[in-house]
């Protein structure tokens, strides 16, 4: 029987995005032994995966050539790497970028910033978590696409983050 809160991986594993310590493909659901329970949120991007634990820690694994894991490097990681120790509520991966919401509702961005999809007002790539100052609190949901991001504030107003969004 599956274990509640355990993280399971399956499929193609280029860049180590499945977090199993190798780049081997997994044809069947396989539990990550280093994450036996306690996962509250998970998202997979293009060869990278991020997850949040029930204690609010953020981990990343996989392809990291644009800093989308947020560990301050561009080194690929084939096992889970701690990115933020606490305070993360939800994570969502785009193609080569990652967005997360803190427990206070702040929105953070990291990774490739093609077209301004990180919402920082430039096209600069970010290899570490960077807060979006225009939404320092009140974000309830986020979703990331190929090179764009959408989020909803607690007052239910949505803002599209791309090169046409100016802060």
């Amino acid at each position: 029987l599956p274990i509640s809160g355990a993280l399971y991986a399956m499929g193609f594993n280029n860049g180590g995005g499945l977090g199993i310590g190798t780049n081997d493909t997994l044809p069947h659901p396989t539990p990550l032994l280093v994450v036996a329970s306690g996962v509250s949120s998970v998202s997979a991007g293009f060869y990278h995966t991020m997850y949040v634990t029930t204690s609010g820690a953020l981990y990343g694994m996989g392809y990291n050539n644009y800093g989308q894991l947020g560990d301050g490097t561009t080194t690929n990681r084939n096992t889970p790497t701690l990115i933020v120790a606490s305070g993360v509520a939800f994570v969502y991966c785009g193609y080569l970028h990652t967005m997360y919401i803190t427990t206070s509702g702040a929105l953070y961005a990291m990774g490739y910033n093609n077209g301004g999809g990180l919402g920082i007002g430039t096209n600069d790539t970010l290899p570490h978590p960077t807060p979006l100052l225009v939404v320092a609190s009140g974000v309830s949901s986020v979703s990331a696409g190929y090179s764009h991001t959408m989020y909803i504030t607690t007052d239910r107003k949505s803002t599209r983050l791309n090169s046409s969004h100016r802060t």
Side-chain angles (χ1 to χ4, degrees), residues 4 25-26 30 37 41 49 59 76 98 115-116 120 125 131 138 141 152 167:
S4 179
T25 297
L26 294 176
T30 304
S37 66
S41 174
T49 304
Y59 287 82
N76 295 348
T98 302
I120 60 170
T125 294
S141 180
I152 300 171
T167 57

Side-chain angles (χ1 to χ4, degrees), residues 17-110:
L18 297 182
I20 59 172
T22 70
N23 289 341
D24 295 343
T25 297
L26 294 176
H28 304 286
T30 304
L32 266 65
L33 299 178
V34 296
V35 190
S37 66
V39 174
S40 62
S41 174
V42 65
S43 184
F46 179 74
Y47 300 144
H48 77 288
T49 304
M50 306 292 291
Y51 67 88
V52 179
T53 66
T54 54
S55 64
L58 177 66
Y59 287 82
M61 53 208 175
Y63 186 71
N64 193 32
N65 282 16
Y66 295 97
Q68 60 267 42
L69 298 183
D71 66 355
T73 75
T74 55
T75 302
N76 295 348
R77 309 288 181 183
N78 64 11
T79 58
T81 300
L82 179 65
I83 308 302
V84 178
S86 64
V88 177
F90 181 79
V91 65
Y92 202 91
C93 296
Y95 177 65
L96 295 170
H97 70 290
T98 302
M99 308 294 292
Y100 70 85
I101 302 170
T102 66
T103 53
S104 66
L107 184 60
Y108 281 72
M110 52 208 175

